[in-house]
Amino acid sequence: MGQSSPLYRTAIEELGSVFDRIDDAEVERAVAAIAEAKSTVVFGGGRERLQIMGFAMRLYHMGVPVAVEGDMTTPPVGPGDLFLVTVGPGEISTALALIGVAREAGAKVLVITAQPEGRAPKLADQVLHLPAQTMADDHGPARSSVLPMGSLYEGALFVLFEVMILKLRDRLGATPDAMRARHTNLE
Amino acid sequence: MGQSSPLYRTAIEELGSVFDRIDDAEVERAVAAIAEAKSTVVFGGGRERLQIMGFAMRLYHMGVPVAVEGDMTTPPVGPGDLFLVTVGPGEISTALALIGVAREAGAKVLVITAQPEGRAPKLADQVLHLPAQTMADDHGPARSSVLPMGSLYEGALFVLFEVMILKLRDRLGATPDAMRARHTNLE
Amino acid sequence: MGQSSPLYRTAIEELGSVFDRIDDAEVERAVAAIAEAKSTVVFGGGRERLQIMGFAMRLYHMGVPVAVEGDMTTPPVGPGDLFLVTVGPGEISTALALIGVAREAGAKVLVITAQPEGRAPKLADQVLHLPAQTMADDHGPARSSVLPMGSLYEGALFVLFEVMILKLRDRLGATPDAMRARHTNLE
Amino acid sequence: MGQSSPLYRTAIEELGSVFDRIDDAEVERAVAAIAEAKSTVVFGGGRERLQIMGFAMRLYHMGVPVAVEGDMTTPPVGPGDLFLVTVGPGEISTALALIGVAREAGAKVLVITAQPEGRAPKLADQVLHLPAQTMADDHGPARSSVLPMGSLYEGALFVLFEVMILKLRDRLGATPDAMRARHTNLE
């Protein structure tokens, strides 16, 4: 086996350092919001969308009522429902637009962000601060990661969602067999 | 208002002529298969995929259990379920692969196609013949449409699915208000 | 062959009647806008999105620089580019948000709609009026189609886009062979 | 700030341990294959698809010709092109089908997998072994990760792709400003 590049280790350590700074109580409150929602719809832009889509699949595997914004079978949201949004840099136009719709319809809005002072989290009922570099601070003196653009935030989303799955799995009593049974065979 | 191009009329007439040749009994059997399935998963390639996705949204609006292959929340298929596939030209590699999986899992397979002698419909439990030009006969002497490639088939899919929705709506007693209530507000 | 249902004919005739009312000069101007753009990005919500995605594929087949909003490889828009949006009912929140972004960036905005007095077309540089029922007038005395919700508009989009493809094909000199050569084999 | 859960640290350490076992020479060969390809098309199933889509966006940001299987603007593959596939468990039906198409068309096939003896990598021209738990070994005595199903593999894909981006960025001389300039503003 060839000598491994130090880049893997650097990327992993950067991911780890994000979670030294996270407030686990905020994560627990996010887990509770999902567990208590009648139904959850997830949204994000660009590569953040991919990570929250992956989270939606595992929620589905656990039997949690969930949908991805834009899918053919996505329901409306209203009172009792949760609109779960990731907006690392604190604002994108489509997130602001949809948060407005969700709020007006009476749904609860939970925003995950690296910029808790941004416009999207300011409109939310609940905020989960994921303290990682995004495109809001990926250049100039604020730059902190070897990874480009919002990659550190996106990788941290992956880890965050996996831990939320483990917390939800315990809370909901979802067994590995039940999760596998919901995994599609059409692939 | 400017004088309208004859192209609209030609396209509309070509679409109409497809349905002079369809066997409505096959359409009724397809409607029954969907109404009787525990759950339906839809699939298609390229632009056919778009049309069957649109059908899935209306099935969802009517309260029919349905999912689109590849979505995060798509369940496995098994006995009692329906795998509904459009393969205009009679064969694409991914359709053959997934039909094999669905059959082995005990699901019913219904193939919509313009080429009922193709490999995909030959593997199906049920076939709906939609007699329109596809990429299997869009060049040379077989060419019959002013529209390019498989466009006539794809437009005919749209009309077919709308009529199937009307037939299903009556069968299931889905009201316009109930359908609107399921339409997402997140857009 | 069973006796065909009158529903096919009704749906086809409704589609045809939309094009008795369209202004072909507006369609020609839309075709010119696409032909002259450095790059075109398309957008729509729900089932309208599916139809404009299908249009994007044919534009790609003809060698026109085009992308679908939300795809991984979609470029930014700016001066010289076209943001092409379908908003049948005249307004959805995400369309308004993205039109704002495109305008501020200096791109040209072309809105296709059934409600030319709506907020989205009011923000556009150019409007194409497609006079068909949408969810803005699918209930009460305004109701005019046997098809549910915005289906008539969506089917009319399909026909409109096919005719625009034929007009563009002539204008650009795209041959059937060149179009087939760009069709993906990965399906 | 609340006391952090040990789950973050466990997940991060598991990700790190995957890269203690990777052969960096295989990663360098994969980077070279992408840099040398006329065009690259990416594919994966389920949550793996999401990670390789994210990789495609960064390749696009660097100016590498790339497309995602199933997108409207995806070209065919042929000689000189690369079909880049992730199949963690070594086999899914659609991957086998598409690899067959790509090979027959003369494209190079590169498979990333945790199961290098699987059927998909056996059909590839080049294999990148990512030694992490997938659904092929997520239960019984082979189980090695606290994460469910194929999550460890999927998270490792994220890190792998980020390191490949850094390697490619140096090789291609892509600057941060050039990458940001290709980032879409339509979000």
Side-chain angles (χ1 to χ4, degrees):
Chain A
M1 192 157 293
Q3 176 150 3
S4 185
S5 161
L7 290 170
Y8 304 106
R9 184 56 52 192
T10 304
I12 297 282
E13 283 169 5
E14 287 193 0
L15 283 172
S17 74
V18 173
F19 295 96
D20 295 337
R21 299 190 299 271
I22 204 169
D23 182 349
D24 207 40
E26 281 183 9
V27 180
E28 290 289 352
R29 283 194 291 272
V31 164
I34 294 167
E36 291 160 8
K38 269 197 314 184
S39 174
T40 296
V41 179
V42 305
F43 176 73
R47 299 198 346 151
E48 295 182 42
R49 179 178 182 84
L50 302 174
Q51 298 305 339
I52 206 162
M53 285 173 74
F55 184 48
M57 185 183 275
R58 283 285 184 273
L59 291 176
Y60 157 73
H61 285 157
M62 291 193 296
V64 174
V66 65
V68 177
E69 180 272 348
D71 276 0
M72 295 296 110
T73 54
T74 298
V77 294
D81 295 323
L82 180 67
F83 185 45
L84 174 62
V85 184
T86 170
V87 202
E91 174 176 350
I92 59 173
S93 79
T94 47
L96 294 179
L98 293 169
I99 288 171
V101 171
R103 278 170 59 97
E104 200 172 330
K108 182 173 185 173
V109 175
L110 167 47
V111 168
I112 306 172
T113 186
Q115 301 283 339
E117 303 302 314
R119 285 176 68 194
K122 286 296 181 199
L123 294 170
D125 297 291
Q126 195 173 326
V127 176
L128 199 176
H129 180 204
L130 185 63
Q133 177 181 291
T134 70
M135 283 188 69
D137 55 1
D138 69 332
H139 50 311
R143 183 179 174 79
S144 58
S145 170
V146 66
L147 300 181
M149 304 163 96
S151 286
L152 185 60
Y153 179 84
E154 294 146 12
L157 272 184
F158 181 89
V159 175
L160 170 66
F161 288 144
E162 288 302 314
V163 170
M164 289 173 70
I165 291 295
L166 295 176
K167 290 173 184 270
L168 274 159
R169 193 179 60 179
D170 291 348
R171 184 175 180 130
L172 303 171
T175 67
D177 282 355
M179 290 179 71
R180 283 179 73 91
R182 289 193 194 91
H183 190 282
T184 191
N185 50 4
L186 288 172
E187 62 176 15
Chain B
M1 192 160 292
Q3 177 151 1
S4 186
S5 162
L7 290 170
Y8 305 106
R9 185 54 54 193
T10 304
I12 297 283
E13 282 170 6
E14 288 194 0
L15 282 172
S17 75
V18 172
F19 295 95
D20 295 338
R21 301 190 299 272
I22 204 168
D23 183 347
D24 207 40
E26 281 183 8
V27 180
E28 290 288 352
R29 283 193 292 271
V31 164
I34 294 167
E36 291 160 8
K38 269 198 312 186
S39 174
T40 295
V41 179
V42 305
F43 176 74
R47 299 201 339 153
E48 294 182 41
R49 179 178 183 85
L50 303 174
Q51 299 303 340
I52 206 163
M53 285 173 73
F55 184 47
M57 186 184 274
R58 282 286 185 273
L59 291 176
Y60 157 74
H61 286 156
M62 291 192 295
V64 174
V66 65
V68 177
E69 181 273 345
D71 276 359
M72 295 297 109
T73 54
T74 298
V77 293
D81 296 323
L82 180 68
F83 185 45
L84 174 62
V85 184
T86 170
V87 202
E91 174 178 349
I92 58 172
S93 80
T94 46
L96 294 179
L98 292 170
I99 289 171
V101 170
R103 279 171 57 97
E104 200 172 329
K108 183 173 184 173
V109 175
L110 167 46
V111 168
I112 305 172
T113 186
Q115 301 284 338
E117 303 303 315
R119 286 176 69 193
K122 286 298 182 199
L123 294 169
D125 297 290
Q126 196 173 325
V127 175
L128 199 177
H129 181 203
L130 185 63
Q133 177 181 292
T134 70
M135 283 188 69
D137 56 1
D138 69 332
H139 50 311
R143 183 179 175 78
S144 58
S145 170
V146 65
L147 301 181
M149 305 164 96
S151 286
L152 186 59
Y153 180 84
E154 294 146 12
L157 272 184
F158 180 89
V159 175
L160 170 66
F161 289 144
E162 289 302 314
V163 171
M164 288 174 70
I165 290 294
L166 295 176
K167 290 173 184 268
L168 274 160
R169 193 179 58 178
D170 291 347
R171 183 176 181 130
L172 303 171
T175 67
D177 282 354
M179 290 180 70
R180 282 179 73 91
R182 289 194 193 91
H183 190 281
T184 192
N185 50 4
L186 289 172
E187 63 176 15
Chain C
M1 192 160 292
Q3 176 152 359
S4 186
S5 161
L7 291 170
Y8 304 106
R9 185 55 51 194
T10 303
I12 297 281
E13 281 169 6
E14 289 194 0
L15 282 172
S17 74
V18 173
F19 295 96
D20 295 338
R21 300 190 299 270
I22 204 168
D23 182 348
D24 207 39
E26 281 183 8
V27 180
E28 291 289 351
R29 283 194 292 272
V31 164
I34 294 167
E36 292 160 8
K38 271 197 313 186
S39 174
T40 295
V41 179
V42 305
F43 176 74
R47 301 201 339 155
E48 294 181 42
R49 179 178 183 85
L50 303 174
Q51 298 304 339
I52 206 163
M53 285 173 73
F55 184 48
M57 186 184 274
R58 283 286 184 273
L59 291 176
Y60 156 74
H61 286 156
M62 292 193 294
V64 173
V66 65
V68 177
E69 181 272 345
D71 277 0
M72 296 296 109
T73 55
T74 298
V77 294
D81 296 323
L82 181 67
F83 186 45
L84 175 61
V85 183
T86 170
V87 202
E91 173 178 349
I92 59 172
S93 79
T94 47
L96 294 179
L98 292 170
I99 288 171
V101 171
R103 279 170 58 98
E104 200 173 330
K108 183 173 184 172
V109 175
L110 168 45
V111 168
I112 306 172
T113 186
Q115 299 284 339
E117 303 303 315
R119 286 176 68 193
K122 287 296 182 200
L123 294 170
D125 297 291
Q126 197 173 325
V127 175
L128 201 177
H129 181 202
L130 185 63
Q133 176 181 292
T134 69
M135 283 188 70
D137 55 0
D138 69 331
H139 50 310
R143 182 178 176 79
S144 59
S145 171
V146 64
L147 300 182
M149 304 163 97
S151 286
L152 185 59
Y153 179 84
E154 294 146 10
L157 272 184
F158 180 89
V159 175
L160 170 67
F161 288 145
E162 288 302 313
V163 170
M164 289 174 69
I165 291 294
L166 295 175
K167 290 172 184 271
L168 275 159
R169 193 178 61 178
D170 291 348
R171 183 177 181 129
L172 303 170
T175 67
D177 283 354
M179 289 180 71
R180 283 179 72 91
R182 290 194 193 90
H183 190 282
T184 193
N185 50 4
L186 288 173
E187 63 176 14
Chain D
M1 191 159 294
Q3 176 152 1
S4 185
S5 161
L7 291 169
Y8 304 106
R9 185 55 52 192
T10 303
I12 297 282
E13 281 169 6
E14 288 193 1
L15 282 172
S17 74
V18 172
F19 294 96
D20 296 337
R21 300 191 300 271
I22 205 169
D23 182 349
D24 205 42
E26 280 183 10
V27 179
E28 289 289 352
R29 283 194 292 274
V31 164
I34 294 167
E36 292 160 9
K38 271 198 312 185
S39 174
T40 295
V41 179
V42 305
F43 176 74
R47 299 202 340 156
E48 295 182 41
R49 179 179 183 84
L50 303 174
Q51 299 304 339
I52 206 162
M53 285 173 73
F55 184 48
M57 185 183 274
R58 283 285 185 271
L59 291 176
Y60 157 74
H61 286 157
M62 292 192 295
V64 174
V66 65
V68 177
E69 182 272 347
D71 276 359
M72 295 298 109
T73 55
T74 298
V77 294
D81 295 323
L82 180 68
F83 186 45
L84 175 61
V85 184
T86 172
V87 202
E91 174 177 349
I92 58 172
S93 80
T94 47
L96 294 178
L98 292 170
I99 289 171
V101 171
R103 279 170 59 97
E104 201 173 329
K108 183 172 183 172
V109 175
L110 167 45
V111 168
I112 306 172
T113 186
Q115 300 284 338
E117 303 303 315
R119 287 177 68 192
K122 287 298 182 197
L123 294 170
D125 297 291
Q126 196 174 325
V127 175
L128 200 177
H129 180 202
L130 185 63
Q133 175 181 293
T134 71
M135 282 188 70
D137 55 1
D138 69 331
H139 49 311
R143 183 181 175 78
S144 59
S145 170
V146 64
L147 301 181
M149 305 164 96
S151 286
L152 185 60
Y153 179 85
E154 294 146 11
L157 272 184
F158 180 89
V159 174
L160 170 67
F161 288 144
E162 288 301 314
V163 170
M164 289 174 69
I165 290 295
L166 294 177
K167 289 173 185 269
L168 274 160
R169 194 179 59 178
D170 291 348
R171 184 177 180 129
L172 303 171
T175 66
D177 282 354
M179 290 179 70
R180 282 179 73 91
R182 290 194 193 89
H183 190 281
T184 192
N185 50 3
L186 289 171
E187 63 177 15

